Amino acid sequence: MHVPGDASSMSFASHGTSRKRTQVAIVGAGPAGLMLSHLLALAGIESVVFESRSRAEVEATLRAGVLEQTTVDLLVETGVGERMLRQGSIHQGIEIRFDGRGHRIALSELTGGRAITLYAQHEVIRDLVAARLGAGGEILFDVGDLTVHEFDASRPFVRYRVEDRIETLACDYIAGCDGFHGACRRSVPDAARTEYEHVHPFGWFGILVEAPPYARELIYARHERGFSLVSTRSPDVQRLYLQCDPGDDVDNWPDARIWSELDTRLRTRADERLHRGRIFQKGIVQMRSFVVEPMRFGSLFLAGDAAHIVPPTGAKGLNLAVADVKVLADALIERYTSGSEDDLEHYSDVALARVWAAQQFSWWMTAMLHRFDDHDPWQQRMQRAELQRVADSRALQTALAESYVGRPLGNIDSGVARRAILVRQPADGAGSEARPA
Ligand code: FAD
Ligand code: PHB
């Protein structure tokens, strides 16, 4: 058995990084990769993060905005939540709007005080980059042609290009945190992975606007012309989305058309009109659901968007990425402290339990709120009936709220993973099913 190496004793000068070996090589400086590196560093485990883009690009990429309570708690507990606590805004409810009427889902009241925090993903990235670099951590930006090797054997390594030089870094484990289009997942032979994918027949047209907030809480609106979402970034910058054709072009959307469409879809009174602000960013996002199983291949562990994608209607992607790496970091810490690989063995099962729950929640929200061009009138009525049931039922609102604010880590994970582990161990030699104790 390969014993994880003592990285520090093997370091010597080179160009890309100051060492030839590390304990964990992390591919991707998104939320997953940076948070993993941070959690490992707090436990004294060394890692090197490889990122294909520049630091400026990574810190400027506009994506998520909603942080679950679970994510917020982890950022605070691990010392990277200070700016978020100052600048983020806590929301204790959201509104579901349909047929021109709003229905509040009282997130905090329904979940024993849990809430979401609106804080932009690129701000989380900035906080994590600052924390890692401040603690002497290594993040290599602008690396090219990164490939991962021998993760099915005992000597994995990463090969990459820095400027015009090819370098390699040996490691004990590789964490593939390189997003949906990254290299790690594709390095696993086809026969060793099963992929589940669903491409949704619509996109989201997103804008950033210079304006004061449109609402005190997020609004998820269903209208026969399509879904729309009112979110926020700060007291001066608002984030709005409109369901659009997935093949649509930003150039088809002059400002006047965007405002008119938002007014129509969000209106609760005949004369209602959103206040106009300067639109300074426009973009179209495709909607996809995707899961790869398993999330571990030898000493390669996938985490975050590299392993799964959800449509953003449930605001789960970043939060799932953080949940994955918390499970992975704990398992690696166990490995380096006690020598036991048990938790690493169960990483994939534990992470996938949460992933599939989030897939289901994201699909529920997406299906309930979007316009489907191929729906017949009966299906349209079913969609409205479902929304009405949510509006009328405290039980359904509680289910929505629990998923939206995020279950505590280890809650659903432990139960499902325990069952998964038991199912794999034949009981009394009688078969492959064993009953949970
Ligand atoms: P990424 O953020 O994709 O990071 C991967 C990194 O790896 C990138 O920096 C990339 O440059 C790098 N990389 C790729 N290939 C290589 C390579 N070969 N070598 C080195 N580096 C490489 N989620 C939420 O939780 N809440 C929300 O409100 C929310 N809203 C969203 C709104 C929109 C419009 C979109 C598009 C997404 C939203 N998400 C949301 C999802 C969230 O942004 C993602 O799930 C999250 O970024 C995943 O983080 P990650 O670290 O796994 O991957
Ligand atoms: C966002 O603010 O970008 C946002 C909010 C809620 C979502 C998705 C995105 O469900």
Side-chain angles (χ1 to χ4, degrees):
M1 186 188 64
H2 170 59
V3 177
D6 172 0
S8 55
S9 66
M10 293 181 220
S11 65
F12 47 86
S14 138
H15 300 288
T17 169
S18 59
R19 55 190 82 249
K20 285 284 184 193
R21 172 175 256 301
T22 190
Q23 290 177 303
V24 184
I26 300 175
V27 188
L34 291 168
M35 190 67 192
L36 178 61
S37 180
H38 176 61
L39 293 171
L40 293 177
L42 292 177
I45 298 168
E46 183 186 88
S47 64
V48 175
V49 180
F50 296 90
E51 169 58 51
S52 54
R53 296 183 297 156
S54 68
R55 178 177 178 181
E57 265 182 279
V58 168
E59 292 189 341
T61 304
L62 300 168
R63 288 178 86 179
V66 174
L67 304 184
E68 290 179 353
Q69 185 71 57
T70 313
T71 303
V72 167
D73 291 346
L74 191 62
L75 293 172
V76 172
E77 278 161 22
T78 61
V80 281
E82 193 261 331
R83 217 162 57 92
M84 174 195 64
L85 290 178
R86 265 191 294 119
Q87 295 177 13
S89 96
I90 297 172
H91 289 210
Q92 297 186 319
I94 56 169
E95 181 181 318
I96 303 284
R97 189 175 287 188
F98 61 98
D99 292 343
R101 286 189 35 220
H103 306 266
R104 181 166 191 262
I105 311 289
L107 298 175
S108 299
E109 200 187 306
L110 293 165
T111 61
R114 295 168 70 76
I116 53 158
T117 295
L118 269 285
Y119 186 63
Q121 174 165 330
H122 66 275
E123 303 292 357
V124 176
I125 298 272
R126 280 181 204 173
D127 295 341
L128 287 168
V129 168
R132 286 308 296 124
L133 297 180
E138 272 190 276
I139 307 173
L140 299 186
F141 292 100
D142 297 304
V143 301
D145 304 331
L146 185 140
T147 46
V148 293
H149 301 270
E150 298 201 21
F151 49 84
D152 52 348
S154 57
R155 297 272 167 199
F157 65 95
V158 172
R159 178 177 287 138
Y160 58 100
R161 184 174 47 74
V162 195
E163 292 165 1
D164 55 357
R165 292 180 310 278
I166 301 296
E167 307 262 325
T168 59
L169 183 73
C171 55
D172 301 326
Y173 299 104
I174 300 171
C177 302
D178 48 350
F180 183 68
H181 300 288
C184 291
R185 186 181 70 250
R186 287 165 223 275
S187 307
V188 176
D190 288 354
R193 57 185 153 111
T194 305
E195 297 187 346
Y196 301 85
E197 181 167 32
H198 185 77
V199 179
H200 302 283
F202 33 74
W204 277 16
F205 188 93
I207 58 168
L208 283 168
V209 191
E210 266 171 25
Y214 291 101
R216 281 195 15 250
E217 296 174 339
L218 269 57
I219 302 172
Y220 288 80
R222 188 246 174 221
H223 188 274
E224 60 251 29
R225 293 184 62 82
F227 169 74
S228 56
L229 169 61
V230 178
S231 181
T232 183
R233 284 291 177 273
S234 71
D236 311 310
V237 175
Q238 309 314 316
R239 183 77 164 134
L240 302 168
Y241 297 97
L242 280 164
Q243 177 181 349
C244 66
D245 190 281
D248 212 336
D249 195 315
V250 169
D251 294 340
N252 295 333
W253 288 85
D255 293 5
R257 180 178 174 209
I258 296 171
W259 290 120
S260 147
E261 199 61 39
L262 283 168
D263 279 345
T264 306
R265 295 188 193 185
L266 288 162
R267 186 168 287 142
T268 53
R269 291 190 324 267
D271 59 345
E272 206 170 13
R273 193 171 175 270
L274 297 173
H275 49 262
R276 283 16 181 177
R278 187 176 74 85
I279 299 176
F280 63 94
Q281 208 250 351
K282 299 179 184 178
I284 293 178
V285 187
Q286 308 297 322
M287 299 283 118
R288 186 194 302 271
S289 298
F290 175 87
V291 181
V292 66
E293 288 187 344
M295 287 169 60
R296 176 200 183 166
F297 308 90
S299 44
L300 170 66
F301 295 83
L302 299 179
D305 279 15
H308 41 74
I309 295 276
V310 282
T313 330
K316 283 283 155 269
L318 179 156
N319 294 296
L320 269 186
V322 169
D324 284 353
V325 299
K326 172 71 173 118
V327 175
L328 181 54
D330 285 350
L332 286 166
I333 292 165
E334 181 66 22
R335 171 73 184 108
Y336 283 107
T337 49
S338 77
S340 164
E341 285 211 358
D342 284 0
D343 290 354
L344 285 177
E345 293 282 336
H346 300 143
Y347 164 70
S348 183
D349 291 333
V350 173
L352 281 166
R354 195 179 187 90
V355 166
W356 280 112
Q359 289 280 333
Q360 195 281 330
F361 174 67
S362 303
W363 167 239
W364 181 43
M365 292 285 282
T366 301
M368 193 161 59
L369 289 159
H370 286 72
R371 173 197 159 95
F372 289 79
D373 287 341
D374 62 348
H375 269 188
D376 59 33
W378 181 83
Q379 287 169 304
Q380 288 165 15
R381 286 303 177 112
M382 284 299 100
Q383 194 185 40
R384 276 182 54 207
E386 183 164 28
L387 283 164
Q388 193 61 52
R389 280 196 344 118
V390 172
D392 293 342
S393 158
R394 188 176 169 90
L396 286 177
Q397 288 176 19
T398 305
L400 193 158
E402 280 176 350
S403 294
Y404 194 80
V405 300
R407 301 218 166 89
L409 284 164
N411 180 349
I412 58 164
D413 306 343
S414 52
V416 180
R418 197 168 49 243
R419 279 195 296 285
I421 293 157
L422 286 165
V423 164
R424 278 210 312 268
Q425 295 167 347
D428 303 318
S432 61
E433 279 276 338
R435 269 203 201 105

